[in-house]
Amino acid sequence: MKIILAAINAKYIHSNLAVYSLRAYAEQYSKEISIKEYTINQSMDSILMELFGENPDVICFSCYLWNILYVEQIMTELPKILPKARIWLGGPEVSYDAPELLRRYPMAEGIMCGEGEESFLELVEYFHGEAGRCLRNIRGIAYRDNKGRVQVNDPRPVLDLSTIPFVYGREYNTMETFRNRIIYYESSRGCPFSCSYCLSSIDKCLRFRDIDLVRRELQFFLDQNVPQVKFVDRTFNCRHDHAMAVWTYIAEHDNGITNFHFEVSADLLNDAEIALIRTMRPGLIQLEIGVQSANERTIREIRRNMNLDEVRRKTALIREQRNVHQHLDLIAGLPWEDYESFARSFDVVYAMKPDQLQLGFLKVLKGSLMYENAEEYRLQYQSRPPYEVLSTKWLSYGDVIRLKKVEEMVEVYYNSGQFSHTLEHLETAEKNNGAGRCFSTAFSLFEALAAYYDSRGLNGISHSRIARYKILYDFIQESDVCGGECWREWLALDIYLRENVKNRPEFLGESKVSKEEAAEFYRKEEEERHFLKGYEEYDYRQMRKMTHLERIRDKLLLFDYRNRNPLNGDAGVYEVQ
């Protein structure tokens, strides 16, 4: 018997925890179970050829929003090249309305609905002809009987999370499999909240993995010097003792390398958790915080529990220490949120100064309350995955397009972190003698940038990083924002914080540091080693190539590219007296 668990990921750096968990749970059959991971960027021919070469008896696909169209296309071709292979599906994109999907996919024998570990093990036993195993007594599946009729079995009781084997470092699944990829880890399942746009709220049985197991598994990651572990827990800090136990352990056993990612509700963070977080090594953890909207009526309508003032206060306390990357989310297309309301929500969250601000668009997921209320909200959304919003009672499609363009500018100029000083001064710029433009809000700045790209035909072009700086400089000049030569200096600061550009961009003008001044500084530095610690093996010529001197606002700054900020990658900067 040869069984393939097939995962088609969005990117190579991703891995699919689900298929590894299924194989680990069916460990006694592990020699017969292979995992094949692909990406949506691979050619379908290459995937079909590999699956054909494996000649499996059973192929099980892990199905999500981002890959279901790809899976459909592969399933359509598989029976032509592997007519005897049995096809099964599982995952959140096929768990809802499984009978309808089986009617749509005649090549599929069945679907595992919801939590899949026990269902998969029993299916493998059925494939082996184990005594007493037949499809009709396997809970949590939908399937075709021997007459082709679709049958739906009773749902499966939830699993004790501590019974699922740790998937990493096993004999058949070494860490080499995950080299240069994100490690995903699960310490809880379910969600205590009922947000109407989210499928996680359907699983009300919130369960936690035994904390002693969690500690041992975290130590494994630390011993392996894994670069990043991403917790997939939907609201990691919904139980304070669990969150504190995990955070205390990784703080006390920090290896100086591994970063841990958590999705949290900021307003639920208590004083003890914040105090602990503020003591952590810069870069040890990063937090993803879903704000979604600052419109109180919207928050009530989507059944979200959130105290916005507490979110604001607690993200500020964390930001104050400059040791934790904070990623805040907004969703466009929610009920009672029109264009102007969303702009206000944007400004509220932007003022919290997150390291990243993700401007997302509502996905209308089948089975969610948002899906059930679509008619009431006059919610139009794409028929194909990811079922993204097109318009609502409050937001026109034209408004959605405008927000898409703002989103692009936020990604390029804010979330990249490459323009932080220039943006900071643009946000506070005043009119130039009453004749130029000022930006009354952060949203209006990105809106204006989007309009500038539109009017100059700059969209849809793969611009280099330096080209983006030049576009921003031209935008500032044409917008007649006060500041004059200062904008060149702020842009120079942003450029040299990120990269040691030896071919100076023309729009920056001549350097204010002469060759003679630079040569004198580096010769002196070679003798005294006052600033560049760790450069002892290099002479002044080499140090000059490896670093950069720039005069900004009458200050001589030295940029050190070997010692970067662990949160944002900026070069170390020293003021030379």
Short mmCIF file of all heavy atoms in Angstrom, two decimals, residues 288-334:
data_model
loop_
_atom_site.label_atom_id
_atom_site.label_comp_id
_atom_site.label_asym_id
_atom_site.label_seq_id
_atom_site.Cartn_x
_atom_site.Cartn_y
_atom_site.Cartn_z
N GLU A 288 1.35 39.15 16.19
CA GLU A 288 0.37 39.53 15.17
C GLU A 288 -0.94 39.82 15.88
O GLU A 288 -1.46 38.98 16.63
CB GLU A 288 0.19 38.41 14.16
CG GLU A 288 -0.78 38.76 13.04
CD GLU A 288 -0.85 37.70 11.96
OE1 GLU A 288 0.01 36.80 11.95
OE2 GLU A 288 -1.79 37.77 11.16
N ILE A 289 -1.47 41.03 15.67
CA ILE A 289 -2.63 41.51 16.42
C ILE A 289 -3.71 41.93 15.44
O ILE A 289 -3.52 42.86 14.65
CB ILE A 289 -2.23 42.70 17.33
CG1 ILE A 289 -1.17 42.25 18.34
CG2 ILE A 289 -3.45 43.27 18.03
CD1 ILE A 289 -0.46 43.39 19.04
N GLY A 290 -4.84 41.26 15.46
CA GLY A 290 -5.94 41.60 14.56
C GLY A 290 -6.83 42.67 15.17
O GLY A 290 -7.59 42.39 16.10
N VAL A 291 -6.72 43.88 14.67
CA VAL A 291 -7.62 44.96 15.11
C VAL A 291 -8.89 44.94 14.27
O VAL A 291 -10.00 45.05 14.77
CB VAL A 291 -6.91 46.33 15.03
CG1 VAL A 291 -7.85 47.44 15.51
CG2 VAL A 291 -5.62 46.33 15.84
N GLN A 292 -8.72 44.82 12.96
CA GLN A 292 -9.78 44.68 11.95
C GLN A 292 -10.55 45.96 11.68
O GLN A 292 -10.79 46.30 10.54
CB GLN A 292 -10.76 43.54 12.30
CG GLN A 292 -10.17 42.27 12.87
CD GLN A 292 -8.97 41.70 12.14
OE1 GLN A 292 -8.40 42.32 11.25
NE2 GLN A 292 -8.53 40.53 12.53
N SER A 293 -10.95 46.71 12.71
CA SER A 293 -11.67 47.96 12.50
C SER A 293 -11.65 48.77 13.79
O SER A 293 -11.59 48.20 14.89
CB SER A 293 -13.12 47.70 12.07
OG SER A 293 -13.86 48.92 11.99
N ALA A 294 -11.71 50.09 13.65
CA ALA A 294 -11.87 50.97 14.81
C ALA A 294 -13.29 51.51 14.91
O ALA A 294 -13.58 52.34 15.77
CB ALA A 294 -10.87 52.13 14.73
N ASN A 295 -14.17 51.07 14.02
CA ASN A 295 -15.57 51.48 14.03
C ASN A 295 -16.33 50.63 15.04
O ASN A 295 -16.47 49.41 14.87
CB ASN A 295 -16.15 51.30 12.61
CG ASN A 295 -17.59 51.77 12.49
OD1 ASN A 295 -18.40 51.60 13.40
ND2 ASN A 295 -17.92 52.37 11.35
N GLU A 296 -16.85 51.25 16.09
CA GLU A 296 -17.49 50.49 17.17
C GLU A 296 -18.69 49.69 16.68
O GLU A 296 -18.94 48.56 17.12
CB GLU A 296 -17.90 51.43 18.30
CG GLU A 296 -16.73 52.03 19.05
CD GLU A 296 -17.18 52.90 20.22
OE1 GLU A 296 -18.41 52.96 20.48
OE2 GLU A 296 -16.30 53.52 20.86
N ARG A 297 -19.47 50.27 15.77
CA ARG A 297 -20.64 49.55 15.26
C ARG A 297 -20.22 48.33 14.45
O ARG A 297 -20.85 47.27 14.53
CB ARG A 297 -21.49 50.49 14.41
CG ARG A 297 -22.84 49.87 14.04
CD ARG A 297 -23.80 50.90 13.49
NE ARG A 297 -25.12 50.31 13.29
CZ ARG A 297 -26.17 50.98 12.84
NH1 ARG A 297 -26.07 52.28 12.57
NH2 ARG A 297 -27.33 50.37 12.69
N THR A 298 -19.14 48.48 13.70
CA THR A 298 -18.61 47.36 12.93
C THR A 298 -18.16 46.24 13.86
O THR A 298 -18.47 45.06 13.64
CB THR A 298 -17.43 47.83 12.04
OG1 THR A 298 -17.92 48.77 11.08
CG2 THR A 298 -16.79 46.66 11.33
N ILE A 299 -17.42 46.60 14.91
CA ILE A 299 -16.92 45.60 15.85
C ILE A 299 -18.07 44.83 16.50
O ILE A 299 -18.02 43.60 16.64
CB ILE A 299 -16.04 46.29 16.93
CG1 ILE A 299 -14.76 46.84 16.30
CG2 ILE A 299 -15.71 45.32 18.06
CD1 ILE A 299 -13.88 45.79 15.67
N ARG A 300 -19.14 45.55 16.86
CA ARG A 300 -20.30 44.87 17.44
C ARG A 300 -20.96 43.94 16.43
O ARG A 300 -21.36 42.83 16.75
CB ARG A 300 -21.32 45.90 17.95
CG ARG A 300 -20.90 46.64 19.20
CD ARG A 300 -22.10 47.33 19.85
NE ARG A 300 -22.77 48.26 18.94
CZ ARG A 300 -22.44 49.53 18.78
NH1 ARG A 300 -21.43 50.04 19.49
NH2 ARG A 300 -23.10 50.32 17.95
N GLU A 301 -21.08 44.43 15.20
CA GLU A 301 -21.78 43.66 14.16
C GLU A 301 -21.06 42.35 13.83
O GLU A 301 -21.70 41.33 13.55
CB GLU A 301 -21.94 44.50 12.89
CG GLU A 301 -22.73 43.85 11.79
CD GLU A 301 -24.22 43.70 12.12
OE1 GLU A 301 -24.71 44.43 13.03
OE2 GLU A 301 -24.88 42.86 11.50
N ILE A 302 -19.73 42.37 13.86
CA ILE A 302 -18.98 41.16 13.52
C ILE A 302 -18.74 40.28 14.75
O ILE A 302 -18.00 39.29 14.69
CB ILE A 302 -17.64 41.49 12.83
CG1 ILE A 302 -16.71 42.26 13.75
CG2 ILE A 302 -17.89 42.22 11.51
CD1 ILE A 302 -15.33 42.52 13.15
N ARG A 303 -19.36 40.66 15.87
CA ARG A 303 -19.31 39.87 17.11
C ARG A 303 -17.89 39.71 17.63
O ARG A 303 -17.51 38.64 18.13
CB ARG A 303 -19.96 38.50 16.90
CG ARG A 303 -21.40 38.60 16.43
CD ARG A 303 -22.08 37.26 16.38
NE ARG A 303 -23.45 37.38 15.92
CZ ARG A 303 -24.31 36.38 15.88
NH1 ARG A 303 -23.93 35.16 16.26
NH2 ARG A 303 -25.55 36.55 15.45
N ARG A 304 -17.13 40.76 17.50
CA ARG A 304 -15.75 40.72 17.96
C ARG A 304 -15.64 41.36 19.33
O ARG A 304 -16.19 42.44 19.56
CB ARG A 304 -14.84 41.44 16.96
CG ARG A 304 -13.37 41.36 17.31
CD ARG A 304 -12.52 41.78 16.12
NE ARG A 304 -11.10 41.77 16.44
CZ ARG A 304 -10.35 40.68 16.51
NH1 ARG A 304 -10.91 39.52 16.28
NH2 ARG A 304 -9.07 40.75 16.80
N ASN A 305 -14.94 40.71 20.23
CA ASN A 305 -14.70 41.26 21.56
C ASN A 305 -13.37 42.00 21.55
O ASN A 305 -12.32 41.37 21.42
CB ASN A 305 -14.67 40.14 22.61
CG ASN A 305 -16.00 39.44 22.76
OD1 ASN A 305 -17.03 40.09 22.84
ND2 ASN A 305 -15.98 38.12 22.75
N MET A 306 -13.43 43.31 21.68
CA MET A 306 -12.18 44.07 21.65
C MET A 306 -12.37 45.42 22.34
O MET A 306 -13.34 46.12 22.10
CB MET A 306 -11.72 44.31 20.20
CG MET A 306 -10.40 45.07 20.09
SD MET A 306 -9.91 45.37 18.38
CE MET A 306 -11.17 46.57 17.88
N ASN A 307 -11.43 45.77 23.19
CA ASN A 307 -11.39 47.08 23.82
C ASN A 307 -10.29 47.88 23.12
O ASN A 307 -9.09 47.67 23.37
CB ASN A 307 -11.10 46.94 25.31
CG ASN A 307 -11.14 48.27 26.05
OD1 ASN A 307 -10.70 49.30 25.53
ND2 ASN A 307 -11.64 48.26 27.27
N LEU A 308 -10.68 48.77 22.22
CA LEU A 308 -9.71 49.48 21.40
C LEU A 308 -8.75 50.32 22.22
O LEU A 308 -7.55 50.40 21.91
CB LEU A 308 -10.44 50.35 20.37
CG LEU A 308 -9.56 51.04 19.32
CD1 LEU A 308 -8.79 50.01 18.51
CD2 LEU A 308 -10.41 51.91 18.41
N ASP A 309 -9.25 50.95 23.28
CA ASP A 309 -8.36 51.76 24.13
C ASP A 309 -7.28 50.89 24.76
O ASP A 309 -6.12 51.31 24.90
CB ASP A 309 -9.17 52.48 25.21
CG ASP A 309 -10.03 53.59 24.65
OD1 ASP A 309 -9.68 54.12 23.57
OD2 ASP A 309 -11.05 53.94 25.28
N GLU A 310 -7.66 49.67 25.16
CA GLU A 310 -6.68 48.76 25.74
C GLU A 310 -5.68 48.28 24.69
O GLU A 310 -4.49 48.11 24.98
CB GLU A 310 -7.38 47.57 26.39
CG GLU A 310 -7.99 47.89 27.74
CD GLU A 310 -6.93 48.25 28.77
OE1 GLU A 310 -6.27 47.35 29.29
OE2 GLU A 310 -6.75 49.47 29.03
N VAL A 311 -6.15 48.05 23.48
CA VAL A 311 -5.23 47.68 22.39
C VAL A 311 -4.21 48.79 22.19
O VAL A 311 -2.99 48.53 22.09
CB VAL A 311 -6.00 47.43 21.08
CG1 VAL A 311 -5.03 47.23 19.91
CG2 VAL A 311 -6.91 46.21 21.22
N ARG A 312 -4.68 50.02 22.16
CA ARG A 312 -3.80 51.16 21.96
C ARG A 312 -2.77 51.26 23.10
O ARG A 312 -1.57 51.46 22.87
CB ARG A 312 -4.64 52.44 21.87
CG ARG A 312 -3.84 53.68 21.52
CD ARG A 312 -4.73 54.91 21.54
NE ARG A 312 -5.66 54.96 20.43
CZ ARG A 312 -6.99 54.80 20.54
NH1 ARG A 312 -7.54 54.53 21.72
NH2 ARG A 312 -7.76 54.88 19.48
N ARG A 313 -3.25 51.12 24.33
CA ARG A 313 -2.37 51.27 25.49
C ARG A 313 -1.33 50.16 25.55
O ARG A 313 -0.14 50.41 25.81
CB ARG A 313 -3.21 51.28 26.78
CG ARG A 313 -2.41 51.52 28.04
CD ARG A 313 -3.31 51.58 29.27
NE ARG A 313 -3.82 50.27 29.64
CZ ARG A 313 -3.15 49.43 30.44
NH1 ARG A 313 -1.95 49.73 30.88
NH2 ARG A 313 -3.69 48.26 30.76
N LYS A 314 -1.75 48.94 25.30
CA LYS A 314 -0.84 47.81 25.48
C LYS A 314 0.15 47.66 24.33
O LYS A 314 1.31 47.29 24.55
CB LYS A 314 -1.65 46.53 25.70
CG LYS A 314 -2.36 46.57 27.05
CD LYS A 314 -3.31 45.42 27.29
CE LYS A 314 -3.97 45.56 28.66
NZ LYS A 314 -4.95 44.49 28.94
N THR A 315 -0.27 47.99 23.11
CA THR A 315 0.71 47.99 22.02
C THR A 315 1.76 49.08 22.24
O THR A 315 2.93 48.90 21.88
CB THR A 315 0.04 48.16 20.65
OG1 THR A 315 -0.78 49.35 20.66
CG2 THR A 315 -0.83 46.96 20.30
N ALA A 316 1.35 50.21 22.84
CA ALA A 316 2.30 51.28 23.13
C ALA A 316 3.32 50.84 24.18
O ALA A 316 4.52 51.14 24.07
CB ALA A 316 1.56 52.54 23.60
N LEU A 317 2.86 50.13 25.21
CA LEU A 317 3.77 49.64 26.24
C LEU A 317 4.80 48.68 25.66
O LEU A 317 5.98 48.70 26.04
CB LEU A 317 2.97 48.94 27.35
CG LEU A 317 2.21 49.84 28.32
CD1 LEU A 317 1.28 49.00 29.20
CD2 LEU A 317 3.18 50.65 29.18
N ILE A 318 4.37 47.84 24.74
CA ILE A 318 5.29 46.90 24.11
C ILE A 318 6.24 47.63 23.17
O ILE A 318 7.46 47.39 23.17
CB ILE A 318 4.50 45.81 23.36
CG1 ILE A 318 3.71 44.96 24.36
CG2 ILE A 318 5.44 44.93 22.53
CD1 ILE A 318 2.72 44.01 23.72
N ARG A 319 5.70 48.56 22.39
CA ARG A 319 6.53 49.30 21.43
C ARG A 319 7.62 50.12 22.12
O ARG A 319 8.71 50.32 21.59
CB ARG A 319 5.64 50.21 20.59
CG ARG A 319 6.39 50.92 19.45
CD ARG A 319 5.48 51.79 18.62
NE ARG A 319 5.02 52.97 19.33
CZ ARG A 319 3.78 53.17 19.76
NH1 ARG A 319 2.86 52.25 19.55
NH2 ARG A 319 3.45 54.27 20.39
N GLU A 320 7.31 50.59 23.33
CA GLU A 320 8.22 51.45 24.07
C GLU A 320 9.61 50.82 24.25
O GLU A 320 10.62 51.51 24.25
CB GLU A 320 7.59 51.73 25.44
CG GLU A 320 8.26 52.79 26.26
CD GLU A 320 7.47 53.05 27.54
OE1 GLU A 320 7.28 52.10 28.34
OE2 GLU A 320 7.02 54.19 27.73
N GLN A 321 9.67 49.51 24.39
CA GLN A 321 10.94 48.83 24.62
C GLN A 321 11.70 48.54 23.33
O GLN A 321 12.87 48.16 23.37
CB GLN A 321 10.71 47.51 25.36
CG GLN A 321 10.29 47.67 26.81
CD GLN A 321 11.33 48.41 27.62
OE1 GLN A 321 11.15 49.58 27.95
NE2 GLN A 321 12.43 47.76 27.94
N ARG A 322 11.04 48.67 22.20
CA ARG A 322 11.66 48.45 20.88
C ARG A 322 12.34 47.07 20.81
O ARG A 322 13.45 46.94 20.26
CB ARG A 322 12.67 49.56 20.56
CG ARG A 322 12.03 50.94 20.51
CD ARG A 322 13.01 52.01 20.05
NE ARG A 322 12.38 53.32 20.03
CZ ARG A 322 11.62 53.79 19.07
NH1 ARG A 322 11.39 53.04 18.00
NH2 ARG A 322 11.10 55.00 19.13
N ASN A 323 11.67 46.07 21.36
CA ASN A 323 12.26 44.73 21.32
C ASN A 323 11.35 43.68 20.68
O ASN A 323 11.74 42.53 20.54
CB ASN A 323 12.61 44.28 22.75
CG ASN A 323 11.39 44.08 23.63
OD1 ASN A 323 10.37 44.74 23.46
ND2 ASN A 323 11.48 43.17 24.58
N VAL A 324 10.12 44.09 20.29
CA VAL A 324 9.15 43.14 19.73
C VAL A 324 8.56 43.71 18.44
O VAL A 324 8.06 44.84 18.43
CB VAL A 324 8.03 42.83 20.73
CG1 VAL A 324 6.96 41.95 20.10
CG2 VAL A 324 8.59 42.15 21.98
N HIS A 325 8.61 42.91 17.39
CA HIS A 325 7.96 43.27 16.13
C HIS A 325 6.45 43.08 16.29
O HIS A 325 5.99 42.00 16.64
CB HIS A 325 8.49 42.38 15.01
CG HIS A 325 7.83 42.59 13.68
ND1 HIS A 325 8.41 43.29 12.66
CD2 HIS A 325 6.62 42.17 13.20
CE1 HIS A 325 7.60 43.29 11.61
NE2 HIS A 325 6.51 42.62 11.92
N GLN A 326 5.68 44.15 16.04
CA GLN A 326 4.22 44.08 16.14
C GLN A 326 3.59 44.28 14.75
O GLN A 326 3.88 45.24 14.06
CB GLN A 326 3.68 45.14 17.10
CG GLN A 326 4.10 44.94 18.53
CD GLN A 326 3.40 45.89 19.48
OE1 GLN A 326 2.34 45.58 20.03
NE2 GLN A 326 3.98 47.07 19.68
N HIS A 327 2.73 43.34 14.41
CA HIS A 327 2.06 43.32 13.11
C HIS A 327 0.57 43.48 13.38
O HIS A 327 -0.04 42.62 14.01
CB HIS A 327 2.38 41.97 12.44
CG HIS A 327 1.67 41.72 11.16
ND1 HIS A 327 2.33 41.25 10.04
CD2 HIS A 327 0.38 41.84 10.79
CE1 HIS A 327 1.45 41.10 9.05
NE2 HIS A 327 0.26 41.45 9.49
N LEU A 328 -0.02 44.58 12.93
CA LEU A 328 -1.44 44.86 13.18
C LEU A 328 -2.23 44.75 11.87
O LEU A 328 -1.74 45.16 10.81
CB LEU A 328 -1.62 46.26 13.78
CG LEU A 328 -1.54 46.36 15.32
CD1 LEU A 328 -0.20 45.86 15.83
CD2 LEU A 328 -1.77 47.79 15.78
N ASP A 329 -3.44 44.18 11.98
CA ASP A 329 -4.27 43.91 10.79
C ASP A 329 -5.53 44.76 10.78
O ASP A 329 -6.15 45.01 11.81
CB ASP A 329 -4.71 42.44 10.78
CG ASP A 329 -3.55 41.48 10.66
OD1 ASP A 329 -2.47 41.91 10.24
OD2 ASP A 329 -3.74 40.29 10.96
N LEU A 330 -5.93 45.16 9.57
CA LEU A 330 -7.24 45.76 9.30
C LEU A 330 -7.91 44.96 8.20
O LEU A 330 -7.24 44.39 7.33
CB LEU A 330 -7.10 47.21 8.85
CG LEU A 330 -6.80 48.27 9.91
CD1 LEU A 330 -6.47 49.59 9.24
CD2 LEU A 330 -8.01 48.44 10.83
N ILE A 331 -9.26 44.94 8.20
CA ILE A 331 -10.01 44.26 7.14
C ILE A 331 -10.96 45.25 6.49
O ILE A 331 -11.81 45.84 7.17
CB ILE A 331 -10.81 43.06 7.68
CG1 ILE A 331 -9.86 42.01 8.28
CG2 ILE A 331 -11.65 42.43 6.58
CD1 ILE A 331 -10.58 40.81 8.87
N ALA A 332 -10.82 45.44 5.19
CA ALA A 332 -11.75 46.28 4.43
C ALA A 332 -12.92 45.44 3.94
O ALA A 332 -12.74 44.28 3.55
CB ALA A 332 -11.02 46.92 3.25
N GLY A 333 -14.13 46.02 3.96
CA GLY A 333 -15.31 45.33 3.47
C GLY A 333 -16.21 44.80 4.56
O GLY A 333 -17.19 44.09 4.27
N LEU A 334 -15.93 45.14 5.81
CA LEU A 334 -16.78 44.69 6.92
C LEU A 334 -18.07 45.51 6.97
O LEU A 334 -18.10 46.65 6.47
CB LEU A 334 -16.02 44.82 8.24
CG LEU A 334 -14.79 43.91 8.40
CD1 LEU A 334 -14.06 44.24 9.69
CD2 LEU A 334 -15.21 42.43 8.38
#
